[in-house]
Amino acid sequence: MAQTMGRQPVSNAPIGIFDSGVGGLTVARAVMERLPNEAIVYFGDTARVPYGVKSAQTIRRYAAEITRFLLQQEVKLLIIACNSMAAVAADTVAGLAAGVPVLDVIDAGARAAAEMTRRRAVAVIGTMATVDSGAYARRIHAYAPDVRVHAWACPLFVPLVEEGWVDHPVTEQVAREYLAPLTSEAVDTLVLGCTHYPLLKPLLRRVAGPDVALVDSAVAVAEAAAQVLAEQALLRREAAAPQHHFYVSDKPPRFHTLAERFLARSLPEVERVVLEG
């Protein structure tokens, strides 16, 4: 979804990306790879993670606080990189955006899945909050009403990724348990509905098998960002290398360590900020 009324963004401003913690760094990485000339301001709400088990009302309140902070950084585009926030708070963010375009991983992933499936059968895996919201099914059906959508929560994946066990035998065993329904439901497209899950892509591709296509919402939303910036003449024009800034609500050192793993590159200093309601 894109909100485009109000304040006019400028092309050399940064892109704002936010998540409940470190998972949205997969989106940041995809944006860096797709749009290497763009600067990024990233916020991870590490003091209040995980969002997947919180109420919709609480998630909306947190999303509003983060949106206000990023708008203060004068970003030209907002990307909701947290599936739990995108599921229940996308309208809240768009309502506060004041003319800044807003994209989210659910809409981008849903559109990609609707275009990709051939058997018209899609599975979505994510957090409990994302699955319970039904947001992926609604968005997929908005693009392709005839597609059957199956969704289930995979809560163990997040801690396994943050532990660094992205290709561990334990993680593969867990994945085989979680993905067992793929065969019985004749699914041909699997949406990775949590921003941690792209780090498991090689393992999930192996477990799901060659007949199941994986939809990485991080890649999909990065492509959507490139399209929106080009359409609105907001691509960065400066020749100098972009400067990225990373903010968290707690524990910058731990975030820094995990972020370098997620981004596969060295990171500048991470700053802690206290959000105001």
Side-chain angles (χ1 to χ4, degrees), residues 32 40 242-247 252 255-257 259-260 263 265-271:
M32 289 175 182
I40 290 171
Q243 299 296 309
H244 306 307
H245 298 277
F246 296 85
Y247 299 92
F255 177 89
H256 192 279
T257 298
E260 291 194 331
L263 295 173
R265 67 180 71 194
S266 60
L267 225 67
E269 182 179 353
V270 177
E271 183 177 344

Side-chain angles (χ1 to χ4, degrees), residues 106 155 228 230:
I106 290 183
V228 167

Side-chain angles (χ1 to χ4, degrees), residues 43 58 64 88 91 95 107-108 135 150 177 186 190 194 209 212 215 225 255 267-268:
F43 182 87
T58 296
V88 302
D91 289 345
D107 189 69
H150 310 274
E177 292 289 335
L190 175 65
C194 173
V212 178
V215 173
F255 177 89
L267 225 67

Side-chain angles (χ1 to χ4, degrees), residues 20-22 25 42-50 162 246-260 267-274:
S20 58
V22 298
L25 290 166
Y42 182 94
F43 182 87
D45 197 3
T46 49
R48 301 185 292 200
V49 69
E162 294 196 358
F246 296 85
Y247 299 92
V248 295
S249 52
D250 198 19
K251 297 184 177 179
R254 172 169 168 74
F255 177 89
H256 192 279
T257 298
L258 290 171
E260 291 194 331
L267 225 67
E269 182 179 353
V270 177
E271 183 177 344
R272 179 178 177 270
V273 297
V274 178

Side-chain angles (χ1 to χ4, degrees), residues 19 21 39 48 70 75 86 126 131-132 147 153 161 168 176 185 229 232 259 267 274-275:
D19 182 68
R48 301 185 292 200
L70 288 175
V75 298
V131 170
D132 286 350
V147 172
V161 167
H168 193 281
R176 292 193 181 280
E185 300 296 346
L229 293 180
Q232 299 194 20
L267 225 67
V274 178
L275 295 178

